[in-house]
Amino acid sequence: MRWDDFFEDLESQLDAEWESERAALNTETERLRVARLALRTRLASLIAEGAVITVRAAGVSGSGRAVGVGADWLAVAADDSGERHRAEGAVHLRGSADIWAAASGDGLALYPLGAIRTVQAEHAAVLRSALPAPEDELSGRVVFGFLMRDLARRRRAVTVRLVDGEILHGTIDRAGSDHLDLAVHEPGRPRRASEVRAHVMVPFAAIGQVRTVGSSV
């Protein structure tokens, strides 16, 4: 009996050591996973659950429902259109058409990720955003410049808030790889030669937010 007790005790010790090693391995694996988390990955999780967030960026802040994230930008709907979009099942936005479909009312606020200072959400949503989740590789390839070029094509009026606090109203004429050309005119006025007060080139690095103007884009 004593030998039986000895081997049972030894087996119990080995099991305990194995569980301890496995727990330590799982903890280290989780630490490594979290260490590799990118901001856009967590923002995608917030979008998937239709979270309402407050974004503070350089020169501007705003609240709304997160509706899209790309390689270097975040889109926030400032009204209940984000909730409507989520209810219709269009959680993963596949292109600019989906992005604009999520906007109505006060329009859509587009933030370059590099301009964002903080993103605030409910604590539970913040915790869930750090959990493992599949990534949308297609949206991860859509860059801020692509959205600006699409806005130029659509000839939609925008409000551009710069990181130094300056506000520009106008229409995007064209967009390059790291800047856009803005025809500056009064809000609510069409982009006509007689209405344009200035033509400015704006580096993307100087932009805190671009907001679409009007009920549809």
Side-chain angles (χ1 to χ4, degrees):
M1 290 294 297
R2 286 179 296 178
W3 281 108
D4 290 340
D5 292 341
F6 172 77
F7 284 118
E8 287 180 4
D9 183 61
L10 182 61
E11 185 176 0
S12 296
Q13 290 185 42
L14 290 174
D15 287 343
E17 290 181 5
W18 165 243
E19 289 298 328
S20 178
E21 289 180 3
R22 186 171 64 177
L25 180 62
N26 289 341
T27 299
E28 183 61 23
T29 300
E30 177 64 6
R31 286 174 180 166
L32 291 173
R33 185 191 68 80
V34 172
R36 290 193 292 265
L37 267 180
L39 175 61
R40 69 167 306 276
T41 301
R42 301 189 66 181
L43 293 174
S45 294
L46 293 176
I47 291 164
E49 64 176 77
V52 173
I53 63 175
T54 297
V55 179
R56 187 174 68 85
V60 64
S61 63
S63 299
R65 197 168 299 277
V67 295
V69 65
D72 55 356
W73 54 269
L74 170 67
V76 178
D79 54 16
D80 64 354
S81 58
E83 177 62 28
R84 170 181 56 79
H85 199 68
R86 179 172 180 260
E88 292 170 356
V91 172
H92 298 291
L93 304 179
R94 293 288 177 175
S96 59
D98 291 327
I99 294 292
W100 311 139
S104 66
D106 291 335
L108 195 71
L110 302 168
Y111 298 90
L113 291 187
I116 292 177
R117 299 298 179 257
T118 61
V119 177
Q120 180 180 333
E122 291 185 354
H123 186 218
V126 172
L127 292 177
R128 286 192 295 269
S129 73
L131 296 176
E135 288 200 49
D136 185 353
E137 295 183 2
L138 179 59
S139 66
R141 294 197 296 268
V142 179
V143 297
F144 187 72
F146 176 85
L147 293 185
M148 297 302 101
R149 286 187 287 276
D150 196 57
L151 279 175
R153 180 179 64 84
R154 294 167 185 266
R155 311 303 293 162
R156 296 302 305 187
V158 296
T159 297
V160 180
R161 296 178 181 268
L162 304 183
V163 297
D164 64 2
E166 184 179 358
I167 301 175
L168 301 172
H169 302 282
T171 302
I172 299 173
D173 281 343
R174 63 193 62 82
S177 62
D178 61 356
H179 71 285
L180 59 83
D181 289 4
L182 186 72
V184 180
H185 55 76
E186 292 298 322
R189 305 299 299 173
R191 194 252 180 260
R192 294 176 182 155
S194 59
E195 299 285 350
V196 174
R197 295 187 288 106
H199 295 271
V200 297
M201 293 183 288
V202 185
F204 292 160
I207 296 174
Q209 180 199 77
V210 173
R211 182 180 290 278
T212 61
V213 177
S215 61
S216 64
V217 179

PDB file of all heavy atoms in Angstrom, residues 141-170:
ATOM      1  N   ARG A 141      -6.574  46.819 -46.769  1.00  0.00           N
ATOM      2  CA  ARG A 141      -5.783  47.316 -47.893  1.00  0.00           C
ATOM      3  C   ARG A 141      -6.298  48.656 -48.422  1.00  0.00           C
ATOM      4  O   ARG A 141      -5.670  49.253 -49.291  1.00  0.00           O
ATOM      5  CB  ARG A 141      -5.780  46.280 -49.025  1.00  0.00           C
ATOM      6  CG  ARG A 141      -5.068  44.982 -48.676  1.00  0.00           C
ATOM      7  CD  ARG A 141      -4.731  44.197 -49.928  1.00  0.00           C
ATOM      8  NE  ARG A 141      -5.905  43.761 -50.648  1.00  0.00           N
ATOM      9  CZ  ARG A 141      -6.512  42.591 -50.468  1.00  0.00           C
ATOM     10  NH1 ARG A 141      -6.052  41.754 -49.560  1.00  0.00           N
ATOM     11  NH2 ARG A 141      -7.578  42.257 -51.178  1.00  0.00           N
ATOM     12  N   VAL A 142      -7.447  49.104 -47.921  1.00  0.00           N
ATOM     13  CA  VAL A 142      -8.018  50.381 -48.373  1.00  0.00           C
ATOM     14  C   VAL A 142      -7.370  51.512 -47.580  1.00  0.00           C
ATOM     15  O   VAL A 142      -7.495  51.578 -46.364  1.00  0.00           O
ATOM     16  CB  VAL A 142      -9.544  50.400 -48.177  1.00  0.00           C
ATOM     17  CG1 VAL A 142     -10.112  51.745 -48.638  1.00  0.00           C
ATOM     18  CG2 VAL A 142     -10.202  49.263 -48.947  1.00  0.00           C
ATOM     19  N   VAL A 143      -6.700  52.423 -48.276  1.00  0.00           N
ATOM     20  CA  VAL A 143      -5.959  53.495 -47.612  1.00  0.00           C
ATOM     21  C   VAL A 143      -6.766  54.797 -47.641  1.00  0.00           C
ATOM     22  O   VAL A 143      -7.727  54.953 -48.393  1.00  0.00           O
ATOM     23  CB  VAL A 143      -4.577  53.710 -48.267  1.00  0.00           C
ATOM     24  CG1 VAL A 143      -3.723  52.459 -48.107  1.00  0.00           C
ATOM     25  CG2 VAL A 143      -4.718  54.093 -49.730  1.00  0.00           C
ATOM     26  N   PHE A 144      -6.349  55.745 -46.805  1.00  0.00           N
ATOM     27  CA  PHE A 144      -7.011  57.034 -46.687  1.00  0.00           C
ATOM     28  C   PHE A 144      -7.063  57.765 -48.029  1.00  0.00           C
ATOM     29  O   PHE A 144      -8.075  58.361 -48.388  1.00  0.00           O
ATOM     30  CB  PHE A 144      -6.265  57.884 -45.654  1.00  0.00           C
ATOM     31  CG  PHE A 144      -6.936  59.178 -45.299  1.00  0.00           C
ATOM     32  CD1 PHE A 144      -8.094  59.196 -44.534  1.00  0.00           C
ATOM     33  CD2 PHE A 144      -6.402  60.388 -45.722  1.00  0.00           C
ATOM     34  CE1 PHE A 144      -8.719  60.394 -44.202  1.00  0.00           C
ATOM     35  CE2 PHE A 144      -7.010  61.589 -45.387  1.00  0.00           C
ATOM     36  CZ  PHE A 144      -8.167  61.592 -44.629  1.00  0.00           C
ATOM     37  N   GLY A 145      -5.984  57.700 -48.788  1.00  0.00           N
ATOM     38  CA  GLY A 145      -5.944  58.360 -50.087  1.00  0.00           C
ATOM     39  C   GLY A 145      -7.002  57.841 -51.044  1.00  0.00           C
ATOM     40  O   GLY A 145      -7.556  58.606 -51.846  1.00  0.00           O
ATOM     41  N   PHE A 146      -7.304  56.548 -50.961  1.00  0.00           N
ATOM     42  CA  PHE A 146      -8.337  55.966 -51.813  1.00  0.00           C
ATOM     43  C   PHE A 146      -9.689  56.604 -51.509  1.00  0.00           C
ATOM     44  O   PHE A 146     -10.452  56.940 -52.435  1.00  0.00           O
ATOM     45  CB  PHE A 146      -8.408  54.454 -51.598  1.00  0.00           C
ATOM     46  CG  PHE A 146      -9.514  53.782 -52.356  1.00  0.00           C
ATOM     47  CD1 PHE A 146      -9.341  53.391 -53.667  1.00  0.00           C
ATOM     48  CD2 PHE A 146     -10.748  53.547 -51.751  1.00  0.00           C
ATOM     49  CE1 PHE A 146     -10.370  52.781 -54.372  1.00  0.00           C
ATOM     50  CE2 PHE A 146     -11.780  52.939 -52.446  1.00  0.00           C
ATOM     51  CZ  PHE A 146     -11.592  52.557 -53.755  1.00  0.00           C
ATOM     52  N   LEU A 147     -10.000  56.778 -50.234  1.00  0.00           N
ATOM     53  CA  LEU A 147     -11.262  57.411 -49.858  1.00  0.00           C
ATOM     54  C   LEU A 147     -11.319  58.859 -50.349  1.00  0.00           C
ATOM     55  O   LEU A 147     -12.361  59.323 -50.820  1.00  0.00           O
ATOM     56  CB  LEU A 147     -11.443  57.379 -48.343  1.00  0.00           C
ATOM     57  CG  LEU A 147     -11.633  56.012 -47.690  1.00  0.00           C
ATOM     58  CD1 LEU A 147     -11.930  56.184 -46.203  1.00  0.00           C
ATOM     59  CD2 LEU A 147     -12.738  55.214 -48.362  1.00  0.00           C
ATOM     60  N   MET A 148     -10.189  59.575 -50.232  1.00  0.00           N
ATOM     61  CA  MET A 148     -10.169  60.957 -50.687  1.00  0.00           C
ATOM     62  C   MET A 148     -10.363  61.040 -52.205  1.00  0.00           C
ATOM     63  O   MET A 148     -11.059  61.929 -52.707  1.00  0.00           O
ATOM     64  CB  MET A 148      -8.852  61.626 -50.289  1.00  0.00           C
ATOM     65  CG  MET A 148      -8.619  61.729 -48.774  1.00  0.00           C
ATOM     66  SD  MET A 148      -9.918  62.632 -47.879  1.00  0.00           S
ATOM     67  CE  MET A 148     -10.875  61.257 -47.184  1.00  0.00           C
ATOM     68  N   ARG A 149      -9.769  60.109 -52.943  1.00  0.00           N
ATOM     69  CA  ARG A 149      -9.944  60.098 -54.397  1.00  0.00           C
ATOM     70  C   ARG A 149     -11.390  59.779 -54.759  1.00  0.00           C
ATOM     71  O   ARG A 149     -11.937  60.322 -55.738  1.00  0.00           O
ATOM     72  CB  ARG A 149      -8.982  59.103 -55.040  1.00  0.00           C
ATOM     73  CG  ARG A 149      -7.545  59.591 -55.075  1.00  0.00           C
ATOM     74  CD  ARG A 149      -6.636  58.671 -55.857  1.00  0.00           C
ATOM     75  NE  ARG A 149      -6.356  57.437 -55.144  1.00  0.00           N
ATOM     76  CZ  ARG A 149      -5.394  57.316 -54.229  1.00  0.00           C
ATOM     77  NH1 ARG A 149      -4.639  58.355 -53.913  1.00  0.00           N
ATOM     78  NH2 ARG A 149      -5.176  56.161 -53.634  1.00  0.00           N
ATOM     79  N   ASP A 150     -12.026  58.914 -53.973  1.00  0.00           N
ATOM     80  CA  ASP A 150     -13.421  58.583 -54.242  1.00  0.00           C
ATOM     81  C   ASP A 150     -14.325  59.781 -53.942  1.00  0.00           C
ATOM     82  O   ASP A 150     -15.285  60.042 -54.677  1.00  0.00           O
ATOM     83  CB  ASP A 150     -13.845  57.377 -53.408  1.00  0.00           C
ATOM     84  CG  ASP A 150     -15.124  56.753 -53.927  1.00  0.00           C
ATOM     85  OD1 ASP A 150     -15.153  56.363 -55.110  1.00  0.00           O
ATOM     86  OD2 ASP A 150     -16.094  56.662 -53.153  1.00  0.00           O
ATOM     87  N   LEU A 151     -14.023  60.533 -52.894  1.00  0.00           N
ATOM     88  CA  LEU A 151     -14.779  61.754 -52.606  1.00  0.00           C
ATOM     89  C   LEU A 151     -14.603  62.783 -53.727  1.00  0.00           C
ATOM     90  O   LEU A 151     -15.548  63.482 -54.096  1.00  0.00           O
ATOM     91  CB  LEU A 151     -14.333  62.350 -51.267  1.00  0.00           C
ATOM     92  CG  LEU A 151     -14.921  61.721 -50.001  1.00  0.00           C
ATOM     93  CD1 LEU A 151     -14.284  62.328 -48.763  1.00  0.00           C
ATOM     94  CD2 LEU A 151     -16.438  61.885 -49.971  1.00  0.00           C
ATOM     95  N   ALA A 152     -13.391  62.870 -54.251  1.00  0.00           N
ATOM     96  CA  ALA A 152     -13.153  63.788 -55.368  1.00  0.00           C
ATOM     97  C   ALA A 152     -13.982  63.376 -56.583  1.00  0.00           C
ATOM     98  O   ALA A 152     -14.572  64.222 -57.273  1.00  0.00           O
ATOM     99  CB  ALA A 152     -11.662  63.810 -55.717  1.00  0.00           C
ATOM    100  N   ARG A 153     -14.039  62.083 -56.837  1.00  0.00           N
ATOM    101  CA  ARG A 153     -14.822  61.586 -57.971  1.00  0.00           C
ATOM    102  C   ARG A 153     -16.308  61.892 -57.805  1.00  0.00           C
ATOM    103  O   ARG A 153     -17.000  62.231 -58.773  1.00  0.00           O
ATOM    104  CB  ARG A 153     -14.613  60.079 -58.121  1.00  0.00           C
ATOM    105  CG  ARG A 153     -15.370  59.435 -59.264  1.00  0.00           C
ATOM    106  CD  ARG A 153     -15.084  57.952 -59.360  1.00  0.00           C
ATOM    107  NE  ARG A 153     -15.552  57.239 -58.183  1.00  0.00           N
ATOM    108  CZ  ARG A 153     -16.811  56.808 -58.013  1.00  0.00           C
ATOM    109  NH1 ARG A 153     -17.726  57.066 -58.960  1.00  0.00           N
ATOM    110  NH2 ARG A 153     -17.163  56.145 -56.939  1.00  0.00           N
ATOM    111  N   ARG A 154     -16.793  61.801 -56.585  1.00  0.00           N
ATOM    112  CA  ARG A 154     -18.207  62.036 -56.306  1.00  0.00           C
ATOM    113  C   ARG A 154     -18.549  63.518 -56.196  1.00  0.00           C
ATOM    114  O   ARG A 154     -19.725  63.872 -56.105  1.00  0.00           O
ATOM    115  CB  ARG A 154     -18.615  61.313 -55.015  1.00  0.00           C
ATOM    116  CG  ARG A 154     -18.560  59.797 -55.120  1.00  0.00           C
ATOM    117  CD  ARG A 154     -18.664  59.135 -53.742  1.00  0.00           C
ATOM    118  NE  ARG A 154     -18.494  57.698 -53.833  1.00  0.00           N
ATOM    119  CZ  ARG A 154     -19.499  56.827 -53.951  1.00  0.00           C
ATOM    120  NH1 ARG A 154     -20.742  57.265 -53.975  1.00  0.00           N
ATOM    121  NH2 ARG A 154     -19.261  55.536 -54.030  1.00  0.00           N
ATOM    122  N   ARG A 155     -17.530  64.385 -56.142  1.00  0.00           N
ATOM    123  CA  ARG A 155     -17.718  65.830 -56.076  1.00  0.00           C
ATOM    124  C   ARG A 155     -18.542  66.230 -54.864  1.00  0.00           C
ATOM    125  O   ARG A 155     -19.389  67.132 -54.927  1.00  0.00           O
ATOM    126  CB  ARG A 155     -18.382  66.369 -57.358  1.00  0.00           C
ATOM    127  CG  ARG A 155     -17.762  65.908 -58.655  1.00  0.00           C
ATOM    128  CD  ARG A 155     -16.305  66.260 -58.723  1.00  0.00           C
ATOM    129  NE  ARG A 155     -16.072  67.691 -58.797  1.00  0.00           N
ATOM    130  CZ  ARG A 155     -14.902  68.271 -58.530  1.00  0.00           C
ATOM    131  NH1 ARG A 155     -13.876  67.532 -58.137  1.00  0.00           N
ATOM    132  NH2 ARG A 155     -14.755  69.579 -58.625  1.00  0.00           N
ATOM    133  N   ARG A 156     -18.297  65.590 -53.737  1.00  0.00           N
ATOM    134  CA  ARG A 156     -19.028  65.896 -52.522  1.00  0.00           C
ATOM    135  C   ARG A 156     -18.311  66.960 -51.708  1.00  0.00           C
ATOM    136  O   ARG A 156     -17.076  66.956 -51.613  1.00  0.00           O
ATOM    137  CB  ARG A 156     -19.214  64.647 -51.663  1.00  0.00           C
ATOM    138  CG  ARG A 156     -20.049  63.557 -52.300  1.00  0.00           C
ATOM    139  CD  ARG A 156     -21.431  64.019 -52.672  1.00  0.00           C
ATOM    140  NE  ARG A 156     -22.150  64.599 -51.548  1.00  0.00           N
ATOM    141  CZ  ARG A 156     -23.426  64.958 -51.593  1.00  0.00           C
ATOM    142  NH1 ARG A 156     -24.114  64.808 -52.712  1.00  0.00           N
ATOM    143  NH2 ARG A 156     -24.005  65.480 -50.535  1.00  0.00           N
ATOM    144  N   ALA A 157     -19.079  67.863 -51.128  1.00  0.00           N
ATOM    145  CA  ALA A 157     -18.503  68.884 -50.260  1.00  0.00           C
ATOM    146  C   ALA A 157     -18.038  68.242 -48.948  1.00  0.00           C
ATOM    147  O   ALA A 157     -18.648  67.288 -48.456  1.00  0.00           O
ATOM    148  CB  ALA A 157     -19.533  69.970 -49.973  1.00  0.00           C
ATOM    149  N   VAL A 158     -16.954  68.776 -48.404  1.00  0.00           N
ATOM    150  CA  VAL A 158     -16.397  68.244 -47.167  1.00  0.00           C
ATOM    151  C   VAL A 158     -15.970  69.394 -46.254  1.00  0.00           C
ATOM    152  O   VAL A 158     -15.782  70.527 -46.699  1.00  0.00           O
ATOM    153  CB  VAL A 158     -15.169  67.334 -47.422  1.00  0.00           C
ATOM    154  CG1 VAL A 158     -15.549  66.102 -48.217  1.00  0.00           C
ATOM    155  CG2 VAL A 158     -14.055  68.117 -48.131  1.00  0.00           C
ATOM    156  N   THR A 159     -15.845  69.068 -44.989  1.00  0.00           N
ATOM    157  CA  THR A 159     -15.227  69.961 -44.020  1.00  0.00           C
ATOM    158  C   THR A 159     -13.952  69.295 -43.551  1.00  0.00           C
ATOM    159  O   THR A 159     -13.984  68.164 -43.057  1.00  0.00           O
ATOM    160  CB  THR A 159     -16.147  70.222 -42.819  1.00  0.00           C
ATOM    161  OG1 THR A 159     -17.334  70.882 -43.270  1.00  0.00           O
ATOM    162  CG2 THR A 159     -15.456  71.096 -41.782  1.00  0.00           C
ATOM    163  N   VAL A 160     -12.828  69.959 -43.744  1.00  0.00           N
ATOM    164  CA  VAL A 160     -11.527  69.412 -43.373  1.00  0.00           C
ATOM    165  C   VAL A 160     -11.025  70.147 -42.129  1.00  0.00           C
ATOM    166  O   VAL A 160     -10.869  71.371 -42.154  1.00  0.00           O
ATOM    167  CB  VAL A 160     -10.500  69.553 -44.514  1.00  0.00           C
ATOM    168  CG1 VAL A 160      -9.150  68.979 -44.100  1.00  0.00           C
ATOM    169  CG2 VAL A 160     -11.013  68.861 -45.777  1.00  0.00           C
ATOM    170  N   ARG A 161     -10.801  69.416 -41.059  1.00  0.00           N
ATOM    171  CA  ARG A 161     -10.257  69.995 -39.825  1.00  0.00           C
ATOM    172  C   ARG A 161      -8.785  69.610 -39.722  1.00  0.00           C
ATOM    173  O   ARG A 161      -8.453  68.422 -39.703  1.00  0.00           O
ATOM    174  CB  ARG A 161     -11.036  69.510 -38.612  1.00  0.00           C
ATOM    175  CG  ARG A 161     -12.493  69.964 -38.610  1.00  0.00           C
ATOM    176  CD  ARG A 161     -13.253  69.422 -37.418  1.00  0.00           C
ATOM    177  NE  ARG A 161     -14.643  69.845 -37.452  1.00  0.00           N
ATOM    178  CZ  ARG A 161     -15.116  70.940 -36.872  1.00  0.00           C
ATOM    179  NH1 ARG A 161     -14.286  71.731 -36.202  1.00  0.00           N
ATOM    180  NH2 ARG A 161     -16.395  71.259 -36.946  1.00  0.00           N
ATOM    181  N   LEU A 162      -7.943  70.618 -39.667  1.00  0.00           N
ATOM    182  CA  LEU A 162      -6.508  70.378 -39.616  1.00  0.00           C
ATOM    183  C   LEU A 162      -6.047  70.158 -38.178  1.00  0.00           C
ATOM    184  O   LEU A 162      -6.740  70.520 -37.226  1.00  0.00           O
ATOM    185  CB  LEU A 162      -5.762  71.555 -40.240  1.00  0.00           C
ATOM    186  CG  LEU A 162      -6.159  71.920 -41.678  1.00  0.00           C
ATOM    187  CD1 LEU A 162      -5.283  73.051 -42.196  1.00  0.00           C
ATOM    188  CD2 LEU A 162      -6.082  70.706 -42.593  1.00  0.00           C
ATOM    189  N   VAL A 163      -4.873  69.583 -38.029  1.00  0.00           N
ATOM    190  CA  VAL A 163      -4.365  69.259 -36.697  1.00  0.00           C
ATOM    191  C   VAL A 163      -4.081  70.506 -35.873  1.00  0.00           C
ATOM    192  O   VAL A 163      -4.015  70.445 -34.646  1.00  0.00           O
ATOM    193  CB  VAL A 163      -3.098  68.377 -36.791  1.00  0.00           C
ATOM    194  CG1 VAL A 163      -3.420  67.039 -37.440  1.00  0.00           C
ATOM    195  CG2 VAL A 163      -1.984  69.092 -37.549  1.00  0.00           C
ATOM    196  N   ASP A 164      -3.924  71.651 -36.523  1.00  0.00           N
ATOM    197  CA  ASP A 164      -3.684  72.892 -35.780  1.00  0.00           C
ATOM    198  C   ASP A 164      -4.982  73.615 -35.431  1.00  0.00           C
ATOM    199  O   ASP A 164      -4.965  74.718 -34.882  1.00  0.00           O
ATOM    200  CB  ASP A 164      -2.759  73.825 -36.560  1.00  0.00           C
ATOM    201  CG  ASP A 164      -3.364  74.293 -37.878  1.00  0.00           C
ATOM    202  OD1 ASP A 164      -4.524  73.929 -38.180  1.00  0.00           O
ATOM    203  OD2 ASP A 164      -2.673  75.020 -38.624  1.00  0.00           O
ATOM    204  N   GLY A 165      -6.134  72.997 -35.752  1.00  0.00           N
ATOM    205  CA  GLY A 165      -7.416  73.573 -35.407  1.00  0.00           C
ATOM    206  C   GLY A 165      -8.098  74.333 -36.525  1.00  0.00           C
ATOM    207  O   GLY A 165      -9.285  74.677 -36.420  1.00  0.00           O
ATOM    208  N   GLU A 166      -7.388  74.629 -37.611  1.00  0.00           N
ATOM    209  CA  GLU A 166      -8.000  75.356 -38.727  1.00  0.00           C
ATOM    210  C   GLU A 166      -9.060  74.493 -39.402  1.00  0.00           C
ATOM    211  O   GLU A 166      -8.926  73.266 -39.505  1.00  0.00           O
ATOM    212  CB  GLU A 166      -6.933  75.755 -39.749  1.00  0.00           C
ATOM    213  CG  GLU A 166      -7.479  76.608 -40.890  1.00  0.00           C
ATOM    214  CD  GLU A 166      -6.422  77.011 -41.887  1.00  0.00           C
ATOM    215  OE1 GLU A 166      -5.239  76.665 -41.686  1.00  0.00           O
ATOM    216  OE2 GLU A 166      -6.778  77.677 -42.886  1.00  0.00           O
ATOM    217  N   ILE A 167     -10.129  75.138 -39.850  1.00  0.00           N
ATOM    218  CA  ILE A 167     -11.239  74.451 -40.512  1.00  0.00           C
ATOM    219  C   ILE A 167     -11.379  74.968 -41.934  1.00  0.00           C
ATOM    220  O   ILE A 167     -11.447  76.180 -42.166  1.00  0.00           O
ATOM    221  CB  ILE A 167     -12.562  74.665 -39.751  1.00  0.00           C
ATOM    222  CG1 ILE A 167     -12.439  74.151 -38.315  1.00  0.00           C
ATOM    223  CG2 ILE A 167     -13.711  73.957 -40.463  1.00  0.00           C
ATOM    224  CD1 ILE A 167     -13.667  74.438 -37.462  1.00  0.00           C
ATOM    225  N   LEU A 168     -11.419  74.042 -42.896  1.00  0.00           N
ATOM    226  CA  LEU A 168     -11.573  74.383 -44.307  1.00  0.00           C
ATOM    227  C   LEU A 168     -12.834  73.724 -44.850  1.00  0.00           C
ATOM    228  O   LEU A 168     -13.090  72.546 -44.587  1.00  0.00           O
ATOM    229  CB  LEU A 168     -10.358  73.905 -45.110  1.00  0.00           C
ATOM    230  CG  LEU A 168      -8.984  74.452 -44.706  1.00  0.00           C
ATOM    231  CD1 LEU A 168      -7.885  73.731 -45.480  1.00  0.00           C
ATOM    232  CD2 LEU A 168      -8.909  75.959 -44.949  1.00  0.00           C
ATOM    233  N   HIS A 169     -13.620  74.489 -45.605  1.00  0.00           N
ATOM    234  CA  HIS A 169     -14.801  73.948 -46.276  1.00  0.00           C
ATOM    235  C   HIS A 169     -14.552  73.982 -47.781  1.00  0.00           C
ATOM    236  O   HIS A 169     -13.978  74.936 -48.297  1.00  0.00           O
ATOM    237  CB  HIS A 169     -16.045  74.791 -45.963  1.00  0.00           C
ATOM    238  CG  HIS A 169     -16.357  74.893 -44.505  1.00  0.00           C
ATOM    239  ND1 HIS A 169     -16.959  73.877 -43.806  1.00  0.00           N
ATOM    240  CD2 HIS A 169     -16.146  75.907 -43.622  1.00  0.00           C
ATOM    241  CE1 HIS A 169     -17.117  74.249 -42.543  1.00  0.00           C
ATOM    242  NE2 HIS A 169     -16.628  75.475 -42.403  1.00  0.00           N
ATOM    243  N   GLY A 170     -14.974  72.932 -48.453  1.00  0.00           N
ATOM    244  CA  GLY A 170     -14.790  72.947 -49.894  1.00  0.00           C
ATOM    245  C   GLY A 170     -15.058  71.595 -50.532  1.00  0.00           C
ATOM    246  O   GLY A 170     -15.746  70.736 -49.959  1.00  0.00           O
TER     247      GLY A 170
END
